[in-house]
Amino acid sequence: MLQGLRKLKNLLIGAVLLPLSVLAFPAFADGETVILAPAAVVSGFRDFTAGRQLGDIRDYRFSADYTLKHQDPFINLEVIELVLLVQALQLGGVKGEIKIKSASSFSILSKVEKGDALLGGVSIWRERTQSRAKSLWVSDPIIRQGEFHLGLYSCGRPMSIIDLSGLQQFRLSSHANWPMVTELLQSLEVADLSLSSDWNQIAKQSCSGASDLIAAPFTASADRPLQYLEKFLSPVPGVKLKVSGTRHFIISRLHPKGKRTYFSLQRGMRKLRVKGNIARALRQSGFLPSTTANWAFLN
């Protein structure tokens, strides 16, 4: 009896001393895990994963049919992020049903912060979480410092730019929903900067002559023209922009399942990182294509 009590005491002491980073929560299956994501991302996710076992996906390239239907490079990055998020949750021990529900981009952070939602399905910039430490768990970065690059595209004829002063002669358009991208573009002092939350509007604006260049994430065909409707968006060869900052998934500290979901996600993301899935996904989807690895940064 006494010997048994001593063993129990030693086990309890060991558990207390065990570092938090290696605590392993058991897989949980008590109800569903609900992820919120913008409607366009949910639509892209469903098309990307249709007919595939999500846990078995190792090829993150977009099919030709997918690309024709989903042409916004910002949205397509978020689709890949959502795929990796679900894979990480499954690898980390979440056994219950994982549901993805649509919500507006602007409401997701608020709902997660208040505990009305468990987690967001797309990453956000670290800077947006710093004043919310009491309400949010923040994952390891899905996009690390120095990994967020932008290409420059023109509608129709190719253009040549060799340095920042050359870029500053042109009118630039891009997406309005990415704060660190906006901050960077505003700092470049280009001839004119126009921002929109609608990729169709951005592309049409350039192709109508209202802007000269589009700043957007790379795609799988980063060194070749992109077909948009009946127009071609030609990449400016040899140059790119680097956006400072890291991007992370957020989980609510105020949600009953927040803490264990956070630790499951962390464990799963680290497994994906070690297995090479995250790097492969960013490379194959075109976000960090090998063809632009040696292109020069303008900033």
Side-chain angles (χ1 to χ4, degrees):
M1 179 71 175
L2 183 60
Q3 186 176 4
L5 288 173
R6 286 174 178 168
K7 287 183 178 180
L8 179 59
K9 181 181 178 181
N10 290 336
L11 285 172
L12 289 173
I13 292 172
V16 170
L17 296 178
L18 188 64
L20 186 62
S21 61
V22 297
L23 280 177
F25 290 95
F28 55 90
D30 52 344
E32 62 191 25
T33 297
V34 178
I35 301 171
L36 295 186
V41 177
V42 176
S43 174
F45 174 85
R46 288 172 178 163
D47 287 342
F48 182 82
T49 59
R52 308 166 78 181
Q53 288 293 327
L54 203 145
D56 296 333
I57 292 177
R58 297 293 182 273
D59 186 340
Y60 299 91
R61 290 172 289 190
F62 294 117
S63 68
D65 288 342
Y66 176 96
T67 304
L68 284 174
K69 187 175 179 181
H70 304 278
Q71 298 186 330
D72 186 332
F74 287 92
I75 295 295
N76 289 339
L77 166 60
E78 293 179 326
V79 169
I80 292 300
E81 286 185 339
L82 183 52
V83 171
L84 291 169
L85 172 61
V86 177
Q87 288 185 322
L89 289 171
Q90 291 176 339
L91 271 177
V94 176
K95 299 298 184 183
E97 181 181 8
I98 297 176
K99 284 190 174 181
I100 300 166
K101 295 185 177 180
S102 299
S104 69
S105 299
F106 300 103
S107 71
I108 293 173
L109 175 57
S110 175
K111 289 181 177 179
V112 174
E113 183 180 11
K114 293 175 182 177
D116 295 335
L118 175 59
L119 74 162
V122 295
S123 68
I124 69 172
W125 299 101
R126 178 68 181 181
E127 284 75 7
R128 297 187 69 191
T129 71
Q130 290 176 345
S131 63
R132 300 175 168 93
K134 293 182 179 180
S135 57
L136 296 178
W137 294 99
V138 180
S139 76
D140 290 344
I142 185 71
I143 297 177
R144 297 175 296 190
Q145 184 66 255
E147 288 185 336
F148 200 107
H149 303 168
L150 296 175
L152 298 168
Y153 295 85
S154 62
C155 188
R157 63 184 180 85
M159 301 178 71
S160 177
I161 297 174
I162 60 174
D163 55 24
L164 180 57
S165 63
L167 175 62
Q168 290 171 332
Q169 309 306 310
F170 295 103
R171 299 166 299 167
L172 191 60
S173 59
S174 191
H175 213 288
N177 294 354
W178 295 65
M180 301 303 290
V181 171
T182 300
E183 183 179 313
L184 165 65
L185 299 181
Q186 289 174 336
S187 73
L188 297 178
E189 300 182 354
V190 294
D192 182 66
L193 176 63
S194 58
L195 301 171
S196 172
S197 59
D198 183 351
W199 170 253
N200 292 331
Q201 182 62 30
I202 296 169
K204 287 177 180 177
Q205 186 174 26
S206 181
C207 291
S208 70
S211 71
D212 302 309
L213 293 166
I214 298 170
F218 287 116
T219 68
S221 55
D223 57 343
R224 300 193 303 275
L226 297 175
Q227 186 169 1
Y228 175 75
L229 299 179
E230 296 182 354
K231 303 288 187 178
F232 284 94
L233 301 180
S234 301
V236 176
V239 294
K240 55 186 176 180
L241 298 170
K242 181 188 294 183
V243 183
S244 179
T246 57
R247 289 181 63 85
H248 308 252
F249 295 116
I250 54 170
I251 304 95
S252 178
R253 285 181 178 266
L254 305 182
H255 193 282
K257 294 170 64 173
K259 185 173 183 178
R260 57 183 174 179
T261 300
Y262 166 73
F263 281 104
S264 291
L265 175 58
Q266 287 289 82
R267 189 164 54 247
M269 282 188 64
R270 290 169 185 177
K271 289 180 180 179
L272 284 178
R273 182 72 72 182
V274 170
K275 292 167 67 174
N277 286 50
I278 296 177
R280 186 185 313 115
L282 297 180
R283 184 177 66 252
Q284 290 182 339
S285 65
F287 180 69
L288 282 174
S290 57
T291 51
T292 67
N294 295 322
W295 286 17
F297 290 109
L298 293 175
N299 62 318

